[in-house]
Amino acid sequence: MNWLGLLQDSFELTDWQISRLQALDALYREWNAQINVISRKDIDSVYEHHVLHSLAIARYLQTVPGLYDEFAGSTVLDLGTGGGFPGIPLAILFPSASFVLCDSVGKKTIVAQAVASALELPNVRVVNARAESLPGPFDFVVSRAVASLADFYPWVRGKFSRGILYLKGGDVNEEIASVMGRWKLRPGSVHTWPVSAWLTNPYYDGKLVLHLEK
């Protein structure tokens, strides 16, 4: 897959952004050899399975009038970031947004911090903490399948003012119904978008961007 060509077709990338995206493969190979944050079977698919998946959030934002530009100037919490996904690719794409990358596992945040530092991303702050200890609110919360939606929502409830953008796979209807019923979410406030609308690799079949509006 020509991942860079796909991104250039989808987004207006600067040389600064391209150089940092291109540096991700070597950085994650180097750090993954020391601290395993990407499975060994996936380390050869950093772009296909991790970078592009992260940026599916940005591609979804383009489908909602005004939302891409709103996100570009926002504050964003990436909860359960692991080694920096989806936060680091999004921080490269949105240099005017401010990102806090949070994970409760210290060795994972070591990797996320090292990658952000090597890329010289001034809009990224990495914290080793649990969600409950974070001050808020942020404009948006992003995350990539750290838990079921029903478990995830209480962790960030009250910590965002605009919405949640959550990368999730499988049949999410029951999870959505559970969250809407338990927390009395407004009808029509939860949207699903298939990642396969942008990425045709079979790997993305069944994977979704979930958007919970405030």
Side-chain angles (χ1 to χ4, degrees):
M1 173 188 288
N2 180 5
W3 63 269
L4 182 55
L6 176 63
L7 292 180
Q8 288 176 311
D9 287 343
S10 302
F11 310 105
E12 294 183 8
L13 299 179
T14 65
D15 291 342
W16 181 91
Q17 290 168 320
I18 290 170
S19 67
R20 277 149 182 81
L21 289 167
Q22 289 175 322
L24 289 174
D25 183 77
L27 284 168
Y28 277 107
R29 285 180 186 276
E30 175 187 351
W31 277 99
N32 211 58
Q34 303 173 56
I35 301 173
N36 188 243
V37 292
I38 296 174
S39 69
R40 301 192 192 288
K41 67 179 182 180
D42 262 4
I43 196 61
D44 290 329
S45 303
V46 167
Y47 291 105
E48 290 84 351
H49 293 177
H50 298 278
V51 176
L52 292 178
H53 193 203
S54 299
L55 294 179
I57 288 175
R59 185 66 188 90
Y60 164 74
L61 292 171
Q62 291 178 323
T63 71
V64 182
L67 195 57
Y68 187 92
D69 289 339
E70 180 182 344
F71 189 89
S74 66
T75 58
V76 184
L77 169 64
D78 174 8
L79 186 61
T81 190
F85 297 106
I88 285 178
L90 288 170
I92 294 171
L93 191 63
F94 295 99
S96 296
S98 177
F99 289 80
V100 172
L101 277 53
C102 176
D103 204 286
S104 61
V105 180
K107 66 179 183 179
K108 293 182 179 181
T109 60
I110 290 172
V111 177
Q113 182 61 69
V115 172
S117 297
L119 296 173
E120 299 180 337
L121 299 179
N123 60 334
V124 169
R125 182 165 65 92
V126 179
V127 296
N128 174 207
R130 299 188 67 83
E132 299 83 4
S133 68
L134 291 176
F138 299 86
D139 295 320
F140 291 93
V141 174
V142 300
S143 192
R144 188 166 73 145
V146 299
S148 74
L149 193 60
D151 290 335
F152 182 82
Y153 186 82
W155 297 344
V156 297
R157 183 170 176 260
K159 294 187 184 298
F160 64 94
S161 61
R162 298 295 297 122
I164 299 171
L165 296 156
Y166 197 52
L167 293 166
K168 194 77 170 64
D171 185 358
V172 298
N173 291 331
E174 187 174 331
E175 292 182 34
I176 292 172
S178 174
V179 167
M180 293 193 71
R182 180 179 177 186
W183 299 105
K184 305 295 190 291
L185 301 188
R186 159 174 71 81
S189 63
V190 181
H191 311 276
T192 63
W193 182 78
V195 176
S196 59
W198 180 47
L199 302 173
T200 57
N201 187 319
Y203 175 82
Y204 291 104
D205 291 348
K207 288 182 168 56
L208 303 166
V209 177
L210 301 185
H211 176 202
L212 282 71
E213 295 181 300
K214 180 69 174 179

